[in-house]
Amino acid sequence: MNMAFLSSFKIGPDTVYPDSLRQRLRGFPLLEDVSDAAIKRLLSEANWFGLPGGMLLKRDGENDQAVFLVISGSLGVFAEDEHGHRRLVAHVPAGETVGEMSMIMESREHSAQLVALRDSELLRVPPAAFDALIGRHPRVMRNMMRVLIKRLQDTTRSATDKARPKTFAIVPLQEGLEQSPIAHRIAAALVNMGSKAAVLDSSCAEQPGEWFANFESSHDIVFYRGDTPDSAWTHQCLRQADRVFMFARVDRPLPERALELPALKERASGLPQLLLVHPTTGGKALDEHFAVRGGLFESHHHIRVGRAEDIKRLARFIAGRAVGLVLAGGGARGFAHIGVVKALVEAGVPFDTIGGTSMGALIAAGLACEWSIDELTTRMRDAFVNGNPINDYTLPLIAMVRGAKVTKLLQDNYGEMRIEELPKPFFCVSSDLTTGRVHVHRTGLLWRALRASIALPGILPPVTHNGHLLVDGGLMNNLPVDVMAERSPGPIIASDVTGEIDLKVRDDKYGERPWWWLIGQRMAGTPSIISILMRSGTVGSEVQRRMAREQANYMFEPPLNGVGLRDWRAFDRCIAEGYEHALRMIEAHGVPLTEVWAEGPAVSIEHHVAAE
């Protein structure tokens, strides 16, 4: 049966049903060791029907206390969390059942909603028929208990342990893109990484639901390639996908009306992601019509002509192998990040998404701009060693320095680049003094986001954002691994340079001494107001640091003994120590990241599509 036209179909005692349906039922764990005669009787009392992807399975009328067997496709179970938001809590694939608890408890209160995650075929079994089946075959009850226990175990697993999406729709937002090879290029990259990937196009539109189910089960990842916006096949792709990618060329305007997802599909699969195709080698800044669409897409990826690495990076995201890099704040000690990154680059580690705080954010932004290690080193040296950006002192009404030199430095290095335009996904964090929360910067002018992330309280003036005061991110989250984990589907590498900074005094009455005494002690190395303020802006919290260590897969912590937050002249030493520390870590522990992104020999992608 073609899922696009499948409707409710009653199977009576004399109905000739497909033998393939009976064979599929024999594979259900619920019906293990149940006789063929019992399955025939069950079929005679059941309803076989289709539920398009994104549609809600209403629990009223005949559906109230029925048990549903998922013949093909899959269902998502959505429940309300403590904040009143409906979230996906369970996944019911083909071969499993749902609705048993309501039947057992004889409850008409359904706290969860069932949504088709893709075009699905279901068998509705009325309560009386199911009771009769259990009465004749008590083993069914034991089978059902096993199914429920397994489902409970799956529900309590961490999000990273749950099954990854395997079907992806890649559909155009603009006319004339039906021959784009982008789906094939991504699939080919996945095949070279060892995945069994394939592409389906409109030539498969008339295949029955069983064919799609079998095809998906025989592959790791399947791409449904749309042809034209709003075509019947494109909408079938959207219904069938676990995740949706919409692609468009940056040199053409987006349509005024976004391509609509099927009902409830957005909640089931999340907002679509946008693939921005750059058809020229020079790239192109995002026009306003792209920049203002941020609320319609979860995220976006840049695909540039002639840049195979862009496709490989996207393939790693899809395979759950995208490498995230997080760099902590730490003043001059942050220069060690450059050495750590240099060692990782030499080891062949790609950075697919990058984020950081304060000094770590500055270096992360350079990597997101695709600066080489040499260019990054030169720019940081010129900014902090050959010059001093925080010596434009002023009357300390809101800060000790004006911040004009810092702003110019950022504008000179990062220009008018927007975060959305960076070749690689990037974020940085600042601390919102107005709300007392961490502010994550994923959009807007890059230099301004960095200016907020490095605005050490008391030293640099805060940055205003919609009436809020933003200061250094290290105040609340100096190593934002948790922010990276929210969107990064692969291993996370973190570099923390906070260390145990020697900020100690032996005098118990240090803070009570007169100013002239403190001046004398300052000459002897007692912490100054700037040192205290800088340390306050980078220390974060011990709880947050422990959480970051638990969430990071690989942690680098260069010792940097004796290097202070303002030891700008220790630039070369910090880079060298970061590099040597990373080399030791890689040699000692192997940093088995090569298994994550390793590509095998080139393999021809399986073609189940019309000719390109």
Side-chain angles (χ1 to χ4, degrees):
M1 285 189 185
N2 189 311
M3 281 305 304
F5 304 100
L6 186 65
S7 59
S8 182
F9 181 65
K10 180 68 177 179
I11 302 177
D14 300 324
T15 302
V16 178
Y17 49 82
D19 185 64
S20 60
L21 176 59
R22 189 179 64 191
Q23 293 302 320
R24 277 188 275 176
L25 289 179
R26 294 200 62 81
F28 277 61
L30 180 72
L31 301 176
E32 183 180 345
D33 295 332
V34 174
S35 68
D36 192 58
I39 291 178
K40 288 182 179 180
R41 182 187 296 270
L42 183 68
L43 282 170
S44 71
E45 299 172 307
N47 290 82
W48 185 20
F49 67 99
L51 190 67
M55 292 294 293
L56 174 70
L57 178 61
K58 295 183 179 180
R59 305 302 300 280
D60 55 8
E62 291 182 315
N63 292 344
D64 186 20
Q65 294 183 39
V67 174
F68 300 91
L69 282 69
V70 183
I71 305 300
S72 67
S74 64
L75 299 183
V77 181
F78 290 82
E80 196 171 276
D81 62 16
E82 63 275 14
H83 302 296
H85 303 300
R86 290 273 177 179
R87 300 194 182 280
L88 180 67
V89 296
H91 173 241
V92 186
E96 294 194 10
T97 58
V98 69
E100 313 94 326
M101 293 301 297
S102 296
M103 188 207 66
I104 293 172
M105 299 176 65
E106 297 183 350
S107 172
R108 297 184 183 277
E109 297 290 332
H110 303 290
S111 59
Q113 289 183 336
L114 302 177
V115 178
L117 299 182
R118 63 189 70 169
D119 285 352
S120 303
E121 295 178 52
L122 307 176
L123 196 69
R124 180 197 302 114
V125 181
F130 198 81
D131 285 340
L133 177 67
I134 292 175
R136 291 189 297 268
H137 299 274
R139 184 182 180 86
V140 172
M141 180 59 76
R142 186 174 69 174
N143 292 345
M144 185 169 64
M145 291 299 103
R146 288 178 176 173
V147 170
L148 293 175
I149 290 171
K150 180 179 181 299
R151 188 172 302 153
L152 177 63
Q153 292 173 336
D154 291 342
T155 303
T156 55
R157 284 186 302 169
S158 67
T160 55
D161 292 333
K162 294 180 181 177
R164 295 201 55 78
K166 69 178 302 177
T167 60
F168 296 82
I170 299 185
V171 300
L173 281 174
Q174 301 155 332
E175 297 288 347
L177 298 180
E178 57 270 16
Q179 297 302 320
S180 171
I182 188 169
H184 272 84
R185 294 174 63 197
I186 300 170
L190 286 164
V191 168
N192 287 338
M193 290 167 57
S195 296
K196 189 173 184 182
V199 181
L200 298 177
D201 74 355
S202 57
S203 64
C204 306
E206 298 303 318
Q207 295 289 349
E210 181 182 2
W211 185 90
F212 286 110
N214 291 336
F215 189 86
E216 291 174 10
S217 64
S218 64
H219 291 81
D220 299 319
I221 295 174
V222 176
F223 293 100
Y224 286 84
R225 192 189 72 173
D227 45 16
T228 60
D230 283 333
S231 72
W233 167 248
T234 289
H235 281 278
Q236 186 175 345
C237 293
L238 295 175
R239 294 195 308 271
Q240 198 71 6
D242 294 329
R243 292 288 185 271
V244 175
F245 289 99
M246 297 182 179
F247 70 97
R249 288 173 53 133
V250 295
D251 58 345
R252 301 179 187 173
L254 283 177
E256 291 298 324
R257 183 178 64 87
L259 190 60
E260 294 181 0
L261 294 178
L264 300 176
K265 189 68 179 180
E266 178 181 310
R267 195 175 70 190
S269 60
L271 287 170
Q273 297 185 46
L274 179 62
L275 305 183
L276 292 169
V277 180
H278 297 254
T280 57
T281 55
K284 183 179 185 293
L286 289 185
D287 288 337
E288 184 180 357
H289 65 271
F290 281 107
V292 298
R293 296 300 185 92
L296 300 179
F297 303 99
E298 178 184 289
S299 59
H300 66 274
H301 303 268
H302 293 282
I303 308 296
R304 295 165 292 180
V305 66
R307 298 295 294 267
E309 184 53 43
D310 290 350
I311 292 291
K312 293 179 181 178
R313 179 167 56 251
L314 181 56
R316 289 191 289 269
F317 270 99
I318 290 172
R321 303 180 185 181
V323 181
L325 177 68
V326 182
L327 306 179
R333 296 169 63 91
F335 298 141
H337 293 318
I338 300 175
V340 171
V341 169
K342 179 181 178 182
L344 289 170
V345 169
E346 291 177 353
V349 179
F351 306 125
D352 298 311
T353 178
I354 310 167
T357 299
S358 199
M359 180 62 78
L362 297 181
I363 295 173
L367 296 173
C369 289
E370 297 185 328
W371 295 347
S372 67
I373 297 297
D374 288 342
E375 181 178 2
L376 180 63
T377 302
T378 299
R379 287 178 181 267
M380 293 296 111
R381 185 191 303 276
D382 289 343
F384 293 97
V385 180
N386 299 336
N388 185 353
I390 55 173
N391 63 0
D392 52 343
Y393 296 103
T394 186
L395 188 65
L397 297 177
I398 58 174
M400 296 181 63
V401 302
R402 294 174 54 222
K405 293 184 66 173
V406 170
T407 296
K408 185 177 186 306
L409 180 151
L410 295 174
Q411 291 174 332
D412 288 346
N413 281 277
Y414 303 100
E416 294 300 305
M417 176 77 74
R418 297 180 63 87
I419 295 176
E420 304 96 303
E421 297 173 328
L422 291 171
K424 296 182 179 180
F426 167 83
F427 74 87
C428 64
V429 301
S430 60
S431 301
D432 190 334
L433 296 182
T434 305
T435 63
R437 298 176 182 175
V438 172
H439 184 96
V440 181
H441 300 264
R442 297 188 189 275
T443 61
L445 288 171
L446 176 59
W447 74 262
R448 190 165 178 81
L450 296 173
R451 173 65 178 78
S453 188
I454 64 172
L456 286 160
I459 297 179
L460 285 169
V463 171
T464 58
H465 178 75
N466 295 331
H468 291 215
L469 293 179
L470 306 181
V471 297
D472 196 295
L475 197 65
M476 295 181 181
N477 194 340
N478 199 46
L479 186 61
V481 175
D482 56 333
V483 177
M484 177 66 75
E486 291 175 1
R487 295 194 181 184
S488 178
I492 298 176
I493 304 171
S495 179
D496 187 4
V497 295
T498 307
E500 298 298 328
I501 298 175
D502 187 15
L503 198 67
K504 300 177 182 178
V505 291
R506 296 187 177 88
D507 185 3
D508 292 338
K509 295 186 177 181
Y510 165 72
E512 305 169 21
R513 299 296 189 181
W515 64 267
W516 51 265
W517 189 92
L518 289 173
I519 290 177
Q521 289 297 302
R522 175 70 193 98
M523 299 298 292
T526 300
S528 68
I529 183 173
I530 294 181
S531 297
I532 293 172
L533 289 173
M534 289 190 71
R535 180 56 172 163
S536 299
T538 58
V539 70
S541 72
E542 186 56 35
V543 173
Q544 189 272 332
R545 290 180 68 187
R546 284 201 301 270
M547 288 177 59
R549 281 164 172 73
E550 291 173 0
Q551 291 180 288
N553 299 93
Y554 307 97
M555 177 72 73
F556 293 92
E557 298 180 275
L560 304 172
N561 295 326
V563 178
L565 297 171
R566 294 191 295 148
D567 288 344
W568 312 114
R569 297 293 175 182
F571 182 85
D572 292 314
R573 175 193 164 187
C574 288
I575 294 177
E577 289 196 16
Y579 179 71
E580 292 168 3
H581 167 77
L583 287 180
R584 290 194 300 270
M585 290 284 291
I586 292 171
E587 182 178 357
H589 303 288
V591 189
L593 287 173
T594 51
E595 299 176 5
V596 173
W597 61 76
E599 297 182 21
V603 181
S604 297
I605 180 174
E606 184 177 353
H607 286 271
H608 287 270
V609 296
E612 288 282 328

